[in-house]
Amino acid sequence: MTTKRNLLPRRLAIPSIVLAATGALLGSSVLSGREHSPRAMNVLVMGTDERDTISADEKHKFHAGGQACGCTDVLMLIHLSARRDRVSVIGLPRDSWANIPQYRAPDGKQRKAHSAKLNAAYQEGGAELTVKTVESMTGLNVDRFVQVDFRRFMDSVNEVGGVEVCTPRRLKDLATGMDLKPGKHRLGGGQSLQYVRSRHVDTSADLGRIQRQQRFLFQSLREVQERKLLGDPRRTLHLMRTLLGSGSQGFSLNELVQEAAALRRLPDAATEFTTVPIGGFAPASVGIGSALAWDDRKTDALFKKVHQDQPLLARGENPGPKDPPTILGSTVPVRGGTYACR
């Protein structure tokens, strides 16, 4: 798997980008598929825990305060098939054991390759180093990236009139203030932020949060499709502007609008979701704390399918998601329809 570069301006001013999966979520649902593109595309959606883009009142109301570390909370790799008839979303746990490639630090000094948790790549070298790290770990080219902070996420959710989520069990997290009873709930921007940030709901920790973020992403795409929000060019342009904000991104506004238009009729069965298979934990000798180690064999098989632009699920397969997911063991891809609110 060769690693050639095809990123739009990758050097971005690192605005306060928070809540990875979150922004990731809505971001990817709204950013899929370039029309008439001759090749597949891999998009890395990232967000950080920086939180200076929302007001003090919003921080208090939605339990979004605290000290930021300037790292990515969650990363999602989104694969758009060459024919733009399939989207595969792969969650990359923030606490994954990673080897940060050699890079030149902002002070001009060369830093050697070293072990760290995956979310530290952004803290050390921003989006560019995060992209390089993910490429080295997956063997894939990252063609574009999107980063979203709390403000962009909340405003984008409010722009589409909120997003409906559903749960068969109570979801409560004292850290984020989320408390949802079983059933359906339409969440505004701030409540959605609580939903996608919560990781203390059960013992599945970050893997459970990734699954909820993927559910949210699927429902976001569904809402946009059902309301035909991408059928109006001016509305689409405004929504994309809200999502991208004023900071530098790996997508131009015009390209993102084209990509959004290409997915407006994508059927539920054409979306796939999974998380990198976890094989265990990093050895204590590595010295980076409790970090998840990927299952090399299963991960190689997963990314080989992505590299070859193949679906993660065979025709006719439609397994259901395990809720909550287990931290160790086999990760089973699911179709978007299994995440749908009924």
Side-chain angles (χ1 to χ4, degrees):
M1 299 182 188
T2 57
T3 306
K4 65 183 167 187
R5 304 281 178 188
N6 186 31
L7 288 167
L8 287 182
R10 280 168 73 158
R11 175 69 64 184
L12 55 171
I14 305 174
S16 53
I17 300 171
V18 98
L19 180 80
T22 292
L25 302 189
L26 188 61
S28 84
S29 62
V30 190
L31 66 61
S32 323
R34 185 192 302 181
E35 287 187 307
H36 311 302
S37 174
R39 64 182 185 83
M41 179 187 289
N42 296 319
V43 181
L44 184 64
V45 183
M46 62 185 80
T48 75
D49 68 347
E50 297 178 21
R51 54 204 67 193
D52 60 357
T53 53
I54 61 176
S55 69
D57 286 344
E58 288 171 323
K59 288 179 182 179
H60 176 74
K61 183 176 181 179
F62 302 118
H63 295 246
Q67 184 64 41
C69 76
C71 15
T72 46
D73 255 359
V74 177
L75 293 167
M76 285 193 181
L77 186 66
I78 299 171
H79 176 78
L80 312 176
S81 66
R83 297 175 60 185
R84 295 305 186 262
D85 59 353
R86 187 182 68 258
V87 174
S88 304
V89 181
I90 303 171
L92 310 177
R94 68 175 195 170
D95 290 334
S96 297
W97 174 19
N99 187 58
I100 309 293
Q102 176 178 298
Y103 69 96
R104 189 174 298 280
D107 60 7
K109 293 182 180 179
Q110 197 75 18
R111 179 125 195 238
K112 294 180 180 179
H114 60 282
S115 293
K117 290 183 180 179
L118 181 55
N119 66 345
Y122 192 95
Q123 183 185 44
E124 294 185 34
E128 184 167 357
L129 184 58
T130 302
V131 167
K132 289 180 179 177
T133 302
V134 170
E135 286 183 333
S136 70
M137 294 177 70
T138 63
L140 299 171
N141 297 332
V142 173
D143 304 295
R144 298 289 186 271
F145 66 81
V146 172
Q147 48 179 355
V148 182
D149 62 18
F150 283 176
R151 177 83 279 142
R152 293 176 199 166
F153 174 73
M154 292 168 63
D155 289 350
S156 297
V157 172
N158 288 331
E159 180 70 24
V160 300
V163 173
E164 185 177 73
V165 301
C166 48
T167 175
R169 59 193 175 96
R170 186 180 183 186
L171 299 177
K172 185 173 183 178
D173 188 334
L174 296 178
T176 63
M178 178 184 70
D179 190 359
L180 298 180
K181 296 178 181 179
K184 296 181 181 180
H185 307 268
R186 178 160 294 278
L187 307 181
Q191 292 174 305
S192 296
L193 187 65
Q194 292 172 298
Y195 179 81
V196 297
R197 291 186 64 230
S198 294
R199 65 192 301 264
H200 301 289
V201 175
D202 48 49
T203 57
S204 64
D206 203 40
L207 272 70
R209 177 169 70 166
I210 289 175
Q211 185 185 91
R212 283 186 292 278
Q213 291 167 343
Q214 291 181 348
R215 288 179 184 274
F216 188 89
L217 170 56
F218 174 78
Q219 283 296 124
S220 300
L221 178 57
R222 229 185 183 200
E223 298 265 354
V224 168
Q225 289 176 329
E226 289 178 354
R227 299 185 199 181
K228 299 180 180 179
L229 298 180
L230 301 180
D232 180 346
R234 266 192 299 186
R235 184 80 184 267
T236 303
L237 187 64
H238 180 69
L239 181 57
M240 295 305 103
R241 260 201 203 105
T242 302
L243 178 69
L244 291 180
S246 58
S248 178
Q249 293 280 10
F251 265 105
S252 70
L253 179 60
N254 289 339
E255 184 181 27
L256 193 55
V257 169
Q258 287 181 329
E259 297 292 351
L263 284 197
R264 66 179 184 269
R265 294 189 184 91
L266 194 71
D268 292 353
T271 58
E272 308 172 305
F273 295 86
T274 194
T275 301
V276 169
I278 304 300
F281 295 89
S285 59
V286 175
I288 59 173
S290 180
L292 299 173
W294 294 1
D295 184 308
D296 291 337
R297 183 180 60 82
K298 292 176 181 177
T299 297
D300 287 347
L302 172 66
F303 291 123
K304 182 178 180 181
K305 286 185 176 182
V306 175
H307 178 71
Q308 296 177 347
D309 197 20
Q310 296 177 350
L312 306 183
L313 286 161
R315 186 187 298 271
E317 278 190 306
N318 192 29
K322 186 174 182 180
D323 181 21
T326 54
I327 294 180
L328 302 181
S330 179
T331 302
V332 179
V334 299
R335 299 191 189 280
T338 63
Y339 282 160
C341 288
R342 306 298 180 185

